[in-house]
Amino acid sequence: MSQSMVQDALAGLVERNPGHIEFLQAAQEVLGSIVPVLVKRPELARDGILERLIEPDRQVIFRVGWFDDTGAIRVNRGFRVQFNNALGPYKGGLRFHSSVRLDTIKFLGFEQIFKNALTELPMGGAKGGSDFDPHGKSDGEVMRFCQSFMTELWRYIGADTDVPAGDIGVGEREIGYLFGQYKRLANVHTGVLTGKAPHWGGSLVRKEATGYGLVYFAARMLAAAGLEWDGLDTVISGSGNVALYAADKAESVGARVVAMSDSHGYVYDPQGIDFHLMRRIKEDRRDRIQAYAGERSGAEYHEGAEGIWTVPCTVALPCATENEMDEAGARALVASGCRLVAEGANMPCTPEAIRVLHENGIPFGPGKAANAGGVATSLLEMAQNSQRIHWTFDEVNSRLYGIMNRIYDQCREAAEHFGKPGDLILGANAAGFVRVARAMLAQGVV
Ligand code: NDP
Ligand code: 2IT
């Protein structure tokens, strides 16, 4: 019965979302794994919950016209998918990358519902973005794009309605320009965006939060496997916001980060990545990771991002983008003795990669649990904004630490409760689903 309800919902989904491959992949993973939940608690599938959960509340698509530095007119497409607000105002990042399509935003918005639910904080799920690519654009171009983007978006968002933040291609600079335009249009200075710089309304630790949270979450996974961070060789894909601060925290708890990547290739540094050098290259200079190998003796650069999984390591943290680790990547990790994989990015491991890790008994931390520290700290930023106060770094960091530990506990307990101890995918999906479904049932059919 439960199995057939899930199958019916998925069949409808395929029919209604042709070509939306990533969204189908994300929905399939969640619905496919919660069958044991529906068997034990059939009341949670009442009132068309499954069908309503996989249909976004609202999807907005708009044109973003702007002038580049030569005076030429450019046109991009903007998106905001407000997926579900049963638990609180819509919340989720904005992604600016040339690959962004409606499919991308739907998959990310869907994942965000369950991730936000796992934080136990009052947030619904949403995502947005554009196919605009900030790489190689001047500050003026980025500013004009952000102003035009916000001129459309502002009417759909608000501190109690929908609170966007950063994601790929959107960091403190973009959030600043977006906020500046929102403030002009709405004439209010509220917490309508998170990821603001701390000197004008942002929260300390928000920039570091996703990476730090990932390392706190992985520490619990390691402990369950009888390991601890100290001395472990670690491979981290990406070198953006999540990857950099995962590397920072991993190093500070004694791990040695031996490889990092960007979309062009990866660096291998047997002495352990020099975080400060990497941060200067990627965050301050917005340069390619290749520059690292030129400035650090003993480090090697290899063309091709996917080769990073061939670097031997005990822990692998994919922190770049979706489907970046495929079956071959997972097999390479298994062959070199990897003992743990935790996702810093959203859906970075393909279903085949996850199957290989599972078959080889490698503990796996799914992104919607392991990378929830960023959005959790966004909520802490919203809380400070609405109270007009500013917490210290230690205050925010210790709250983040507590939240990541509670997320791990929920995943572990839900996996046990629903009959698959250690299966953190089931645990995360089940714990998130139960919370969202109960709220939807209480709020009636809409
Ligand atoms: P950034 O833009 O700061 O960094 C992205 C990194 O991934 C860069 O190193 C980029 O390389 C690389 N990358 C992007 N696209 C590709 C690709 N197609 N192939 C290989 N590498 C690629 O983004 P974030 O660090 O913020 O986000 C990384 C991941 O983490 C995403 O999946 C995001 O959704 C997720 N996430 C982000 C959170 C946040 O708070 N920022 C919170 C939770 C999850 P290059 O420099 O060459 O572009
Ligand atoms: O994927 C994510 O959780 C984010 N990009 C962060 C979202 C947020 O609202 O802080």
Side-chain angles (χ1 to χ4, degrees), residues 95 97 99 108 112 115 127 135 166-170 206-207 210 237-244 261-264 282 287-288 305 319-322 324 344-348 367 371-375:
R95 176 178 292 190
H97 192 271
S99 65
L108 289 163
Q112 201 81 44
K115 181 194 307 196
K127 203 81 183 193
H135 286 103
D167 193 79
I168 290 178
V170 178
R206 175 61 189 89
K207 185 167 76 173
T210 313
S237 64
S239 46
N241 174 265
V242 177
L244 275 175
S261 59
D262 66 11
S263 51
H264 300 272
K282 292 302 293 185
D287 204 345
R288 295 251 182 106
C319 294
T321 194
E322 57 269 19
E324 55 165 317
N346 287 309
M347 211 169 73
N371 74 32
V375 75

mmCIF file of all heavy atoms in Angstrom, residues 95 97 99 108 112 115 127 135 166-170 206-207 210 237-244 261-264 282 287-288 305 319-322 324 344-348 367 371-375, ligand 1:
data_model
loop_
_atom_site.group_PDB
_atom_site.id
_atom_site.type_symbol
_atom_site.label_atom_id
_atom_site.label_comp_id
_atom_site.label_asym_id
_atom_site.label_seq_id
_atom_site.Cartn_x
_atom_site.Cartn_y
_atom_site.Cartn_z
ATOM 1 N N ARG A 95 21.232 30.971 -6.496
ATOM 2 C CA ARG A 95 22.415 30.486 -7.221
ATOM 3 C C ARG A 95 22.571 31.252 -8.526
ATOM 4 O O ARG A 95 21.625 31.318 -9.312
ATOM 5 C CB ARG A 95 22.280 28.987 -7.507
ATOM 6 C CG ARG A 95 23.440 28.450 -8.341
ATOM 7 C CD ARG A 95 23.324 26.959 -8.584
ATOM 8 N NE ARG A 95 23.500 26.188 -7.360
ATOM 9 C CZ ARG A 95 23.639 24.860 -7.333
ATOM 10 N NH1 ARG A 95 23.623 24.176 -8.475
ATOM 11 N NH2 ARG A 95 23.795 24.217 -6.202
ATOM 12 N N HIS A 97 24.730 30.895 -11.767
ATOM 13 C CA HIS A 97 25.678 30.041 -12.509
ATOM 14 C C HIS A 97 25.083 29.792 -13.883
ATOM 15 O O HIS A 97 23.859 29.672 -14.021
ATOM 16 C CB HIS A 97 25.887 28.709 -11.765
ATOM 17 C CG HIS A 97 27.039 27.895 -12.277
ATOM 18 N ND1 HIS A 97 26.905 26.985 -13.298
ATOM 19 C CD2 HIS A 97 28.333 27.860 -11.895
ATOM 20 C CE1 HIS A 97 28.090 26.423 -13.530
ATOM 21 N NE2 HIS A 97 28.976 26.933 -12.699
ATOM 22 N N SER A 99 24.748 27.293 -15.588
ATOM 23 C CA SER A 99 24.001 26.040 -15.750
ATOM 24 C C SER A 99 22.596 26.082 -15.141
ATOM 25 O O SER A 99 21.857 25.105 -15.243
ATOM 26 C CB SER A 99 24.780 24.894 -15.090
ATOM 27 O OG SER A 99 24.842 25.119 -13.690
ATOM 28 N N LEU A 108 16.757 21.999 -5.870
ATOM 29 C CA LEU A 108 17.347 22.613 -4.678
ATOM 30 C C LEU A 108 16.263 23.045 -3.687
ATOM 31 O O LEU A 108 16.411 22.874 -2.470
ATOM 32 C CB LEU A 108 18.217 23.802 -5.085
ATOM 33 C CG LEU A 108 19.530 23.429 -5.802
ATOM 34 C CD1 LEU A 108 20.116 24.640 -6.529
ATOM 35 C CD2 LEU A 108 20.551 22.856 -4.823
ATOM 36 N N GLN A 112 15.627 21.656 0.114
ATOM 37 C CA GLN A 112 15.668 22.648 1.196
ATOM 38 C C GLN A 112 14.528 22.454 2.202
ATOM 39 O O GLN A 112 14.693 22.734 3.385
ATOM 40 C CB GLN A 112 15.598 24.046 0.562
ATOM 41 C CG GLN A 112 16.109 25.165 1.449
ATOM 42 C CD GLN A 112 17.625 25.293 1.434
ATOM 43 O OE1 GLN A 112 18.238 25.236 0.383
ATOM 44 N NE2 GLN A 112 18.224 25.470 2.601
ATOM 45 N N LYS A 115 15.808 19.761 4.612
ATOM 46 C CA LYS A 115 16.984 20.259 5.325
ATOM 47 C C LYS A 115 16.561 21.248 6.410
ATOM 48 O O LYS A 115 16.968 21.156 7.562
ATOM 49 C CB LYS A 115 17.903 20.960 4.322
ATOM 50 C CG LYS A 115 19.172 21.506 4.921
ATOM 51 C CD LYS A 115 19.895 22.477 3.984
ATOM 52 C CE LYS A 115 20.147 21.882 2.612
ATOM 53 N NZ LYS A 115 21.159 22.668 1.845
ATOM 54 N N LYS A 127 14.120 28.125 -3.204
ATOM 55 C CA LYS A 127 15.419 28.360 -3.834
ATOM 56 C C LYS A 127 15.202 29.288 -5.011
ATOM 57 O O LYS A 127 14.101 29.360 -5.563
ATOM 58 C CB LYS A 127 16.008 27.032 -4.335
ATOM 59 C CG LYS A 127 17.504 27.049 -4.497
ATOM 60 C CD LYS A 127 18.212 26.843 -3.167
ATOM 61 C CE LYS A 127 19.705 26.921 -3.264
ATOM 62 N NZ LYS A 127 20.325 26.407 -2.033
ATOM 63 N N HIS A 135 31.470 34.888 -12.963
ATOM 64 C CA HIS A 135 32.884 34.731 -13.324
ATOM 65 C C HIS A 135 33.278 35.733 -14.398
ATOM 66 O O HIS A 135 32.619 35.828 -15.438
ATOM 67 C CB HIS A 135 33.164 33.338 -13.893
ATOM 68 C CG HIS A 135 33.170 32.257 -12.872
ATOM 69 N ND1 HIS A 135 32.140 31.389 -12.709
ATOM 70 C CD2 HIS A 135 34.104 31.898 -11.963
ATOM 71 C CE1 HIS A 135 32.418 30.531 -11.755
ATOM 72 N NE2 HIS A 135 33.600 30.824 -11.275
ATOM 73 N N GLY A 166 22.730 33.186 0.019
ATOM 74 C CA GLY A 166 23.676 32.833 -1.037
ATOM 75 C C GLY A 166 23.640 31.355 -1.388
ATOM 76 O O GLY A 166 23.005 30.542 -0.719
ATOM 77 N N ASP A 167 24.298 31.031 -2.467
ATOM 78 C CA ASP A 167 24.558 29.659 -2.899
ATOM 79 C C ASP A 167 25.699 29.806 -3.915
ATOM 80 O O ASP A 167 26.442 30.804 -3.866
ATOM 81 C CB ASP A 167 23.303 29.011 -3.510
ATOM 82 C CG ASP A 167 23.427 27.492 -3.681
ATOM 83 O OD1 ASP A 167 23.270 26.763 -2.690
ATOM 84 O OD2 ASP A 167 23.718 27.025 -4.799
ATOM 85 N N ILE A 168 25.850 28.897 -4.847
ATOM 86 C CA ILE A 168 26.940 29.011 -5.824
ATOM 87 C C ILE A 168 26.851 30.375 -6.534
ATOM 88 O O ILE A 168 25.777 30.770 -6.998
ATOM 89 C CB ILE A 168 26.868 27.869 -6.869
ATOM 90 C CG1 ILE A 168 27.234 26.540 -6.205
ATOM 91 C CG2 ILE A 168 27.798 28.156 -8.049
ATOM 92 C CD1 ILE A 168 27.151 25.328 -7.134
ATOM 93 N N GLY A 169 27.976 31.077 -6.566
ATOM 94 C CA GLY A 169 28.044 32.349 -7.282
ATOM 95 C C GLY A 169 27.426 33.535 -6.553
ATOM 96 O O GLY A 169 27.418 34.644 -7.072
ATOM 97 N N VAL A 170 26.893 33.303 -5.378
ATOM 98 C CA VAL A 170 26.303 34.393 -4.592
ATOM 99 C C VAL A 170 26.921 34.379 -3.196
ATOM 100 O O VAL A 170 26.683 33.464 -2.404
ATOM 101 C CB VAL A 170 24.763 34.278 -4.505
ATOM 102 C CG1 VAL A 170 24.184 35.398 -3.642
ATOM 103 C CG2 VAL A 170 24.145 34.320 -5.903
ATOM 104 N N ARG A 206 28.202 33.165 9.835
ATOM 105 C CA ARG A 206 27.384 32.707 8.711
ATOM 106 C C ARG A 206 28.258 32.264 7.535
ATOM 107 O O ARG A 206 27.987 31.256 6.896
ATOM 108 C CB ARG A 206 26.385 33.793 8.251
ATOM 109 C CG ARG A 206 25.587 33.392 6.980
ATOM 110 C CD ARG A 206 24.756 32.144 7.210
ATOM 111 N NE ARG A 206 24.128 31.578 6.014
ATOM 112 C CZ ARG A 206 24.696 30.670 5.197
ATOM 113 N NH1 ARG A 206 25.953 30.229 5.418
ATOM 114 N NH2 ARG A 206 24.027 30.180 4.183
ATOM 115 N N LYS A 207 29.325 33.033 7.273
ATOM 116 C CA LYS A 207 30.185 32.683 6.141
ATOM 117 C C LYS A 207 30.828 31.304 6.329
ATOM 118 O O LYS A 207 30.929 30.520 5.394
ATOM 119 C CB LYS A 207 31.272 33.760 5.983
ATOM 120 C CG LYS A 207 32.136 33.563 4.769
ATOM 121 C CD LYS A 207 32.979 34.782 4.450
ATOM 122 C CE LYS A 207 34.165 34.899 5.391
ATOM 123 N NZ LYS A 207 35.079 35.989 4.992
ATOM 124 N N THR A 210 28.440 26.628 6.891
ATOM 125 C CA THR A 210 28.152 25.358 6.210
ATOM 126 C C THR A 210 29.346 24.418 6.355
ATOM 127 O O THR A 210 29.187 23.234 6.693
ATOM 128 C CB THR A 210 27.815 25.592 4.724
ATOM 129 O OG1 THR A 210 26.881 26.665 4.627
ATOM 130 C CG2 THR A 210 27.223 24.354 4.099
ATOM 131 N N SER A 237 36.238 18.496 -2.364
ATOM 132 C CA SER A 237 36.069 19.060 -3.703
ATOM 133 C C SER A 237 35.475 20.456 -3.584
ATOM 134 O O SER A 237 34.777 20.777 -2.623
ATOM 135 C CB SER A 237 35.165 18.177 -4.554
ATOM 136 O OG SER A 237 33.882 18.157 -4.002
ATOM 137 N N GLY A 238 35.767 21.297 -4.618
ATOM 138 C CA GLY A 238 35.347 22.686 -4.575
ATOM 139 C C GLY A 238 36.391 23.515 -3.840
ATOM 140 O O GLY A 238 37.309 22.981 -3.198
ATOM 141 N N SER A 239 36.246 24.833 -3.961
ATOM 142 C CA SER A 239 37.109 25.748 -3.209
ATOM 143 C C SER A 239 36.344 27.057 -3.034
ATOM 144 O O SER A 239 36.910 28.139 -2.986
ATOM 145 C CB SER A 239 38.436 25.989 -3.935
ATOM 146 O OG SER A 239 38.186 26.257 -5.314
ATOM 147 N N GLY A 240 35.025 26.931 -2.966
ATOM 148 C CA GLY A 240 34.155 28.076 -2.735
ATOM 149 C C GLY A 240 33.837 28.189 -1.254
ATOM 150 O O GLY A 240 34.583 27.689 -0.396
ATOM 151 N N ASN A 241 32.722 28.809 -0.961
ATOM 152 C CA ASN A 241 32.369 29.091 0.426
ATOM 153 C C ASN A 241 32.346 27.841 1.296
ATOM 154 O O ASN A 241 32.968 27.799 2.367
ATOM 155 C CB ASN A 241 31.006 29.806 0.452
ATOM 156 C CG ASN A 241 30.508 29.999 1.853
ATOM 157 O OD1 ASN A 241 29.727 29.189 2.364
ATOM 158 N ND2 ASN A 241 30.975 31.022 2.520
ATOM 159 N N VAL A 242 31.648 26.817 0.850
ATOM 160 C CA VAL A 242 31.492 25.620 1.687
ATOM 161 C C VAL A 242 32.826 24.884 1.831
ATOM 162 O O VAL A 242 33.253 24.544 2.946
ATOM 163 C CB VAL A 242 30.412 24.686 1.095
ATOM 164 C CG1 VAL A 242 30.293 23.410 1.916
ATOM 165 C CG2 VAL A 242 29.071 25.402 1.010
ATOM 166 N N ALA A 243 33.492 24.666 0.709
ATOM 167 C CA ALA A 243 34.740 23.897 0.719
ATOM 168 C C ALA A 243 35.818 24.594 1.556
ATOM 169 O O ALA A 243 36.518 23.951 2.355
ATOM 170 C CB ALA A 243 35.231 23.709 -0.714
ATOM 171 N N LEU A 244 35.952 25.915 1.381
ATOM 172 C CA LEU A 244 37.024 26.639 2.080
ATOM 173 C C LEU A 244 36.890 26.502 3.594
ATOM 174 O O LEU A 244 37.865 26.207 4.295
ATOM 175 C CB LEU A 244 36.975 28.130 1.730
ATOM 176 C CG LEU A 244 37.683 28.580 0.465
ATOM 177 C CD1 LEU A 244 37.427 30.066 0.228
ATOM 178 C CD2 LEU A 244 39.189 28.310 0.551
ATOM 179 N N SER A 261 39.512 21.410 -5.216
ATOM 180 C CA SER A 261 39.320 21.563 -6.667
ATOM 181 C C SER A 261 38.537 22.838 -6.995
ATOM 182 O O SER A 261 38.004 23.497 -6.103
ATOM 183 C CB SER A 261 38.543 20.359 -7.210
ATOM 184 O OG SER A 261 37.283 20.261 -6.576
ATOM 185 N N ASP A 262 38.477 23.166 -8.277
ATOM 186 C CA ASP A 262 37.459 24.098 -8.771
ATOM 187 C C ASP A 262 36.883 23.492 -10.044
ATOM 188 O O ASP A 262 37.117 22.292 -10.308
ATOM 189 C CB ASP A 262 37.992 25.531 -8.937
ATOM 190 C CG ASP A 262 39.057 25.673 -10.007
ATOM 191 O OD1 ASP A 262 39.259 24.725 -10.789
ATOM 192 O OD2 ASP A 262 39.689 26.744 -10.065
ATOM 193 N N SER A 263 36.139 24.260 -10.834
ATOM 194 C CA SER A 263 35.466 23.622 -11.961
ATOM 195 C C SER A 263 36.447 23.209 -13.061
ATOM 196 O O SER A 263 36.069 22.483 -13.970
ATOM 197 C CB SER A 263 34.355 24.520 -12.506
ATOM 198 O OG SER A 263 34.852 25.806 -12.748
ATOM 199 N N HIS A 264 37.707 23.644 -12.973
ATOM 200 C CA HIS A 264 38.685 23.300 -14.015
ATOM 201 C C HIS A 264 39.588 22.130 -13.656
ATOM 202 O O HIS A 264 40.027 21.392 -14.531
ATOM 203 C CB HIS A 264 39.554 24.521 -14.338
ATOM 204 C CG HIS A 264 38.750 25.690 -14.825
ATOM 205 N ND1 HIS A 264 38.442 25.889 -16.142
ATOM 206 C CD2 HIS A 264 38.155 26.699 -14.143
ATOM 207 C CE1 HIS A 264 37.706 26.980 -16.264
ATOM 208 N NE2 HIS A 264 37.507 27.481 -15.066
ATOM 209 N N LYS A 282 41.204 32.119 -3.767
ATOM 210 C CA LYS A 282 39.828 31.885 -4.232
ATOM 211 C C LYS A 282 38.843 32.967 -3.765
ATOM 212 O O LYS A 282 37.970 33.362 -4.508
ATOM 213 C CB LYS A 282 39.339 30.498 -3.778
ATOM 214 C CG LYS A 282 40.054 29.331 -4.433
ATOM 215 C CD LYS A 282 39.965 29.325 -5.971
ATOM 216 C CE LYS A 282 38.577 29.097 -6.514
ATOM 217 N NZ LYS A 282 38.573 28.980 -8.003
ATOM 218 N N ASP A 287 40.551 33.911 -8.186
ATOM 219 C CA ASP A 287 41.437 33.320 -9.189
ATOM 220 C C ASP A 287 41.120 31.827 -9.344
ATOM 221 O O ASP A 287 40.310 31.265 -8.600
ATOM 222 C CB ASP A 287 42.889 33.512 -8.709
ATOM 223 C CG ASP A 287 43.901 33.498 -9.842
ATOM 224 O OD1 ASP A 287 43.553 33.063 -10.958
ATOM 225 O OD2 ASP A 287 45.052 33.917 -9.590
ATOM 226 N N ARG A 288 41.775 31.193 -10.305
ATOM 227 C CA ARG A 288 41.656 29.741 -10.483
ATOM 228 C C ARG A 288 42.485 29.012 -9.435
ATOM 229 O O ARG A 288 43.533 29.506 -9.022
ATOM 230 C CB ARG A 288 42.199 29.349 -11.859
ATOM 231 C CG ARG A 288 41.387 29.903 -12.999
ATOM 232 C CD ARG A 288 40.627 28.777 -13.682
ATOM 233 N NE ARG A 288 39.870 29.303 -14.804
ATOM 234 C CZ ARG A 288 40.231 29.105 -16.086
ATOM 235 N NH1 ARG A 288 41.306 28.404 -16.374
ATOM 236 N NH2 ARG A 288 39.493 29.585 -17.048
ATOM 237 N N ALA A 305 38.242 18.352 -12.909
ATOM 238 C CA ALA A 305 37.813 18.339 -11.508
ATOM 239 C C ALA A 305 37.535 16.928 -10.986
ATOM 240 O O ALA A 305 37.809 16.617 -9.822
ATOM 241 C CB ALA A 305 36.566 19.208 -11.356
ATOM 242 N N CYS A 319 32.061 19.116 -1.925
ATOM 243 C CA CYS A 319 31.542 20.441 -1.546
ATOM 244 C C CYS A 319 31.425 21.382 -2.736
ATOM 245 O O CYS A 319 31.457 22.601 -2.554
ATOM 246 C CB CYS A 319 32.461 21.084 -0.498
ATOM 247 S SG CYS A 319 32.496 20.227 1.076
ATOM 248 N N ALA A 320 31.334 20.858 -3.969
ATOM 249 C CA ALA A 320 31.286 21.748 -5.143
ATOM 250 C C ALA A 320 29.876 21.861 -5.714
ATOM 251 O O ALA A 320 29.251 22.918 -5.623
ATOM 252 C CB ALA A 320 32.266 21.277 -6.209
ATOM 253 N N THR A 321 29.353 20.771 -6.287
ATOM 254 C CA THR A 321 28.078 20.904 -6.993
ATOM 255 C C THR A 321 27.395 19.543 -7.146
ATOM 256 O O THR A 321 27.962 18.510 -6.775
ATOM 257 C CB THR A 321 28.321 21.576 -8.365
ATOM 258 O OG1 THR A 321 27.074 22.005 -8.914
ATOM 259 C CG2 THR A 321 28.996 20.629 -9.349
ATOM 260 N N GLU A 322 26.188 19.531 -7.744
ATOM 261 C CA GLU A 322 25.424 18.279 -7.827
ATOM 262 C C GLU A 322 26.063 17.281 -8.809
ATOM 263 O O GLU A 322 26.654 17.682 -9.815
ATOM 264 C CB GLU A 322 23.964 18.529 -8.233
ATOM 265 C CG GLU A 322 23.753 19.258 -9.523
ATOM 266 C CD GLU A 322 23.663 20.771 -9.321
ATOM 267 O OE1 GLU A 322 24.115 21.274 -8.280
ATOM 268 O OE2 GLU A 322 23.145 21.432 -10.230
ATOM 269 N N GLU A 324 28.629 15.555 -8.830
ATOM 270 C CA GLU A 324 30.065 15.677 -9.124
ATOM 271 C C GLU A 324 30.807 14.372 -8.804
ATOM 272 O O GLU A 324 31.937 14.189 -9.249
ATOM 273 C CB GLU A 324 30.677 16.839 -8.348
ATOM 274 C CG GLU A 324 30.427 16.735 -6.848
ATOM 275 C CD GLU A 324 31.309 17.644 -6.014
ATOM 276 O OE1 GLU A 324 32.503 17.727 -6.310
ATOM 277 O OE2 GLU A 324 30.796 18.240 -5.053
ATOM 278 N N GLY A 344 28.923 18.121 1.541
ATOM 279 C CA GLY A 344 28.823 19.552 1.847
ATOM 280 C C GLY A 344 27.983 20.255 0.800
ATOM 281 O O GLY A 344 27.281 21.224 1.083
ATOM 282 N N ALA A 345 28.044 19.770 -0.437
ATOM 283 C CA ALA A 345 27.216 20.328 -1.517
ATOM 284 C C ALA A 345 25.830 19.694 -1.467
ATOM 285 O O ALA A 345 25.572 18.786 -0.673
ATOM 286 C CB ALA A 345 27.874 20.063 -2.865
ATOM 287 N N ASN A 346 24.927 20.190 -2.327
ATOM 288 C CA ASN A 346 23.592 19.599 -2.440
ATOM 289 C C ASN A 346 23.609 18.529 -3.520
ATOM 290 O O ASN A 346 23.916 18.836 -4.672
ATOM 291 C CB ASN A 346 22.570 20.691 -2.767
ATOM 292 C CG ASN A 346 22.285 21.579 -1.565
ATOM 293 O OD1 ASN A 346 21.980 21.081 -0.470
ATOM 294 N ND2 ASN A 346 22.421 22.889 -1.725
ATOM 295 N N MET A 347 23.312 17.294 -3.141
ATOM 296 C CA MET A 347 23.219 16.144 -4.061
ATOM 297 C C MET A 347 24.485 15.935 -4.911
ATOM 298 O O MET A 347 24.386 15.654 -6.102
ATOM 299 C CB MET A 347 21.991 16.328 -4.974
ATOM 300 C CG MET A 347 21.331 15.040 -5.419
ATOM 301 S SD MET A 347 19.723 15.331 -6.227
ATOM 302 C CE MET A 347 20.179 16.011 -7.817
ATOM 303 N N PRO A 348 25.681 16.047 -4.313
ATOM 304 C CA PRO A 348 26.900 15.884 -5.114
ATOM 305 C C PRO A 348 27.160 14.446 -5.550
ATOM 306 O O PRO A 348 27.909 14.231 -6.496
ATOM 307 C CB PRO A 348 28.011 16.371 -4.180
ATOM 308 C CG PRO A 348 27.475 16.131 -2.806
ATOM 309 C CD PRO A 348 25.998 16.396 -2.906
ATOM 310 N N GLY A 367 23.651 15.382 2.149
ATOM 311 C CA GLY A 367 23.760 16.838 2.227
ATOM 312 C C GLY A 367 22.674 17.502 3.031
ATOM 313 O O GLY A 367 22.940 18.444 3.780
ATOM 314 N N ASN A 371 24.980 19.427 5.450
ATOM 315 C CA ASN A 371 25.296 20.823 5.086
ATOM 316 C C ASN A 371 24.254 21.819 5.605
ATOM 317 O O ASN A 371 24.218 22.973 5.172
ATOM 318 C CB ASN A 371 25.533 20.975 3.578
ATOM 319 C CG ASN A 371 24.255 20.905 2.743
ATOM 320 O OD1 ASN A 371 23.189 21.314 3.171
ATOM 321 N ND2 ASN A 371 24.379 20.406 1.518
ATOM 322 N N ALA A 372 23.444 21.382 6.576
ATOM 323 C CA ALA A 372 22.364 22.242 7.073
ATOM 324 C C ALA A 372 22.860 23.369 7.980
ATOM 325 O O ALA A 372 22.075 24.242 8.379
ATOM 326 C CB ALA A 372 21.328 21.405 7.815
ATOM 327 N N GLY A 373 24.147 23.373 8.302
ATOM 328 C CA GLY A 373 24.673 24.413 9.197
ATOM 329 C C GLY A 373 24.569 25.813 8.616
ATOM 330 O O GLY A 373 24.424 26.790 9.350
ATOM 331 N N GLY A 374 24.627 25.911 7.278
ATOM 332 C CA GLY A 374 24.537 27.230 6.646
ATOM 333 C C GLY A 374 23.163 27.839 6.843
ATOM 334 O O GLY A 374 23.024 28.966 7.344
ATOM 335 N N VAL A 375 22.149 27.083 6.492
ATOM 336 C CA VAL A 375 20.796 27.646 6.604
ATOM 337 C C VAL A 375 20.406 27.806 8.079
ATOM 338 O O VAL A 375 19.690 28.753 8.438
ATOM 339 C CB VAL A 375 19.769 26.811 5.804
ATOM 340 C CG1 VAL A 375 19.412 25.504 6.486
ATOM 341 C CG2 VAL A 375 18.518 27.622 5.522
HETATM 342 P P1 NDP B 1 30.692 28.820 -4.363
HETATM 343 O O1 NDP B 1 30.221 29.527 -5.557
HETATM 344 O O2 NDP B 1 31.286 29.599 -3.245
HETATM 345 O O3 NDP B 1 31.734 27.684 -4.757
HETATM 346 C C1 NDP B 1 31.414 26.677 -5.668
HETATM 347 C C2 NDP B 1 32.630 25.820 -5.908
HETATM 348 O O4 NDP B 1 32.272 24.688 -6.686
HETATM 349 C C3 NDP B 1 33.715 26.537 -6.682
HETATM 350 O O5 NDP B 1 34.960 26.032 -6.297
HETATM 351 C C4 NDP B 1 33.372 26.175 -8.130
HETATM 352 O O6 NDP B 1 34.477 26.249 -9.004
HETATM 353 C C5 NDP B 1 32.940 24.742 -7.958
HETATM 354 N N1 NDP B 1 31.968 24.364 -9.003
HETATM 355 C C6 NDP B 1 30.825 25.004 -9.346
HETATM 356 N N2 NDP B 1 30.216 24.402 -10.355
HETATM 357 C C7 NDP B 1 30.988 23.359 -10.670
HETATM 358 C C8 NDP B 1 30.898 22.338 -11.644
HETATM 359 N N3 NDP B 1 29.866 22.293 -12.518
HETATM 360 N N4 NDP B 1 31.888 21.388 -11.659
HETATM 361 C C9 NDP B 1 32.921 21.446 -10.774
HETATM 362 N N5 NDP B 1 33.051 22.398 -9.831
HETATM 363 C C10 NDP B 1 32.109 23.320 -9.793
HETATM 364 O O7 NDP B 1 29.436 27.975 -3.839
HETATM 365 P P2 NDP B 1 29.187 27.336 -2.395
HETATM 366 O O8 NDP B 1 30.467 26.890 -1.783
HETATM 367 O O9 NDP B 1 28.305 28.254 -1.660
HETATM 368 O O10 NDP B 1 28.295 26.069 -2.781
HETATM 369 C C11 NDP B 1 28.864 24.780 -3.035
HETATM 370 C C12 NDP B 1 27.808 23.705 -2.844
HETATM 371 O O11 NDP B 1 27.315 23.755 -1.504
HETATM 372 C C13 NDP B 1 26.564 23.845 -3.738
HETATM 373 O O12 NDP B 1 26.065 22.547 -3.992
HETATM 374 C C14 NDP B 1 25.584 24.581 -2.828
HETATM 375 O O13 NDP B 1 24.255 24.359 -3.228
HETATM 376 C C15 NDP B 1 25.896 23.918 -1.501
HETATM 377 N N6 NDP B 1 25.524 24.625 -0.279
HETATM 378 C C16 NDP B 1 25.874 25.924 -0.070
HETATM 379 C C17 NDP B 1 25.557 26.540 1.128
HETATM 380 C C18 NDP B 1 25.977 27.931 1.441
HETATM 381 O O14 NDP B 1 25.653 28.410 2.519
HETATM 382 N N7 NDP B 1 26.704 28.622 0.585
HETATM 383 C C19 NDP B 1 24.783 25.838 2.159
HETATM 384 C C20 NDP B 1 24.526 24.449 1.869
HETATM 385 C C21 NDP B 1 24.882 23.883 0.681
HETATM 386 P P3 NDP B 1 34.846 27.639 -9.758
HETATM 387 O O15 NDP B 1 35.543 28.463 -8.718
HETATM 388 O O16 NDP B 1 35.725 27.211 -10.884
HETATM 389 O O17 NDP B 1 33.552 28.215 -10.203
#
